[in-house]
Amino acid sequence: MTRIFSGVKPTGHLTLGNYLGAIRRWADEDQHRAESLFCVVDLHALTMEHDPARVRRLSRQAASLMLAAGLDPQGCTVFVQSHVDEHARLSYLLECVATDGEMRRMIQYKEKVVRAQSAGQSVRLSLLTYPALMAADILAYGADEVPVGEDQAQHVELTRDLAERFNLRYGRTFVVPRVTLPTVAARVMDLQDPTGKMGKSHDSTAGIIYLLDEPAVITKKVTRAVTDSASGVEYEPSERPGVANLLEILSSCTGKEPRTLAEDYDSYGALKRDTAEAVVELLRPLQTRHAELSADPGYVDGVLKDGAARARALARPTVDAAYRAIGLLPPT
Ligand code: TYM
């Protein structure tokens, strides 16, 4: 059976980008067709300056949002990365297979170095080695597919390279995974800066729709979205990124093609109104379910505990095999 692994990093409140690019597909499709693991990758939240209490709070919130989005703990495994030691154990071996040069070529590393430096922060070494840990997340479980948004595709490509290199040098140990991207909304853009992705840890929040935003806030953010001064509504992502972004969001909510939707509108006002309404309706059941789950933290803790036990049992044999293959003496 196909195996799927994916994860979300608790560095901020989850956004519409996280939902449309990844989580919705996990819930609506992936968990029903494959043996799936979905992880709150909390170790990854320590690569930039962080507040310990906030990471803890956001980890729990991310887990309940994943469940609220429809992940069914009977049908898939939901867990927290730091509860399973195998991730960190395997990450070190992959650091011994990766090169300094390939880590430095990662776009997210380059972007985040600039962000850390402009905030006067030092760059943590873990920011550089992050993709080795991400590769470990995936390879420890023998995942065939990794459903992510477009911004993570480069990291999954690197994971493939590391898996192939390890297998070639030390004998076949890892499944070589492939990335799967959504057909629309693979890269939801910031509503205020449609040339940049909607990211959960950006400083300015006016262009970011959070999954727990109130309906009135969502409507205000969509209504104020930056478009352009051209008249008429057309789907031209490179020339008119703001309008294209709204059309993609609406498309992702309605299932209609962005280009077909564009034909239905002759003003930005109507497009924004319908997009806001569609997003509010899309998120309504998730928000209701999240409120219920928040009132029952014991349930979420139980899911995470069971999930970690299942994940550990799956990862252990592969990581042990990698330790043997690379030349480490097994304990007696
Ligand atoms: P993270 O936490 O930044 O994002 C979680 C998922 O949401 C997708 N995503 C988006 N998709 C479309 N438009 C956007 N604006 C947008 N923003 C985020 C991401 O592509 C991702 O799928 N490194 C990963 C977490 C990770 C992981 C893994 C993922 C760690 N280990 C192993 C898969 C497999 C990250 O930072 O995702």
Side-chain angles (χ1 to χ4, degrees):
M1 193 180 191
T2 305
R3 197 174 283 174
I4 287 180
F5 181 95
S6 199
V8 62
K9 197 170 58 191
T11 44
H13 297 286
L14 298 192
T15 71
L16 186 65
N18 297 131
Y19 186 61
L20 297 182
I23 299 171
R24 185 170 66 158
R25 255 186 324 143
W26 305 347
D28 293 356
E29 299 166 30
D30 297 330
Q31 68 172 345
H32 303 296
R33 66 178 180 86
E35 180 178 8
S36 305
L37 296 111
F38 301 110
C39 185
V40 178
V41 286
D42 55 349
L43 297 172
H44 289 278
L46 311 184
T47 55
M48 299 281 279
E49 254 183 45
H50 75 285
D51 167 10
R54 186 165 187 264
V55 170
R56 243 184 322 266
R57 214 170 41 243
L58 289 173
S59 295
R60 189 188 290 275
Q61 189 188 71
S64 21
L65 279 169
M66 282 156 60
L67 296 172
L71 292 187
D72 172 9
Q74 305 303 321
C76 67
T77 300
V78 180
F79 70 107
V80 174
Q81 184 188 32
S82 65
H83 295 176
V84 180
D85 293 341
E86 268 50 49
H87 296 248
R89 266 182 87 212
L90 181 56
S91 179
Y92 178 70
L93 296 200
L94 296 174
E95 284 179 28
C96 298
V97 173
T99 67
D100 178 66
E102 64 193 346
M103 293 286 159
R104 285 183 200 282
R105 279 198 293 278
M106 292 295 112
I107 295 164
Q108 283 210 343
Y109 170 70
K110 292 193 228 172
E111 285 173 357
K112 287 188 177 170
V113 165
V114 173
R115 204 186 309 159
Q117 285 171 341
S118 62
Q121 298 169 358
S122 51
V123 176
R124 295 184 178 179
L125 179 59
S126 54
L127 187 65
L128 180 64
T129 56
Y130 177 121
L133 179 58
M134 178 160 163
D137 300 338
I138 298 165
L139 299 181
Y141 297 96
D144 305 282
E145 292 179 19
V146 187
V148 287
E150 200 178 79
D151 63 315
Q152 294 301 321
Q154 192 187 30
H155 291 154
V156 182
E157 278 308 311
L158 178 64
T159 302
R160 289 172 61 85
D161 291 346
L162 297 181
E164 278 166 358
R165 195 176 307 153
F166 190 105
N167 287 348
L168 202 68
R169 281 189 195 157
Y170 306 114
R172 185 160 173 75
T173 308
F174 297 124
V175 173
V176 180
R178 65 184 188 89
V179 70
T180 63
L181 298 175
T183 43
V184 279
R187 191 178 185 82
V188 178
M189 304 309 242
D190 188 292
L191 298 175
Q192 287 300 313
D193 171 14
T195 58
K197 105 173 164 173
M198 186 183 282
K200 61 172 119 59
S201 33
H202 290 177
D203 298 334
S204 162
T205 59
I208 304 170
I209 295 176
Y210 294 102
L211 298 186
L212 294 178
D213 275 348
E214 302 273 339
V217 174
I218 295 174
T219 305
K220 187 159 132 194
K221 287 177 177 174
V222 174
T223 310
R224 296 192 180 165
V226 168
T227 45
D228 53 48
S229 52
S231 64
V233 175
E234 277 168 26
Y235 182 65
E236 295 292 347
S238 48
E239 272 106 72
R240 303 176 65 184
V243 182
N245 192 35
L246 291 174
L247 286 166
E248 289 215 14
I249 292 172
L250 184 59
S251 160
S252 193
C253 298
T254 60
K256 286 194 198 166
E257 289 291 312
R259 228 172 272 285
T260 317
L261 281 171
E263 290 165 10
D264 295 344
Y265 294 97
D266 46 22
S267 81
Y268 293 154
L271 172 63
K272 286 178 171 178
R273 193 192 57 226
D274 286 359
T275 305
E277 231 175 77
V279 173
V280 166
E281 290 315 316
L282 183 75
L283 298 184
R284 195 186 296 282
L286 181 150
Q287 295 186 346
T288 307
R289 181 80 184 116
H290 178 262
E292 289 162 10
L293 288 169
S294 304
D296 190 2
Y299 171 76
V300 177
D301 285 348
V303 168
L304 296 177
K305 188 168 177 227
D306 293 351
R310 282 214 293 265
R312 232 176 264 129
L314 283 176
R316 189 74 198 247
T318 306
V319 178
D320 282 350
Y323 266 63
R324 283 194 300 277
I326 207 168
L328 299 170
L329 186 65
T332 45

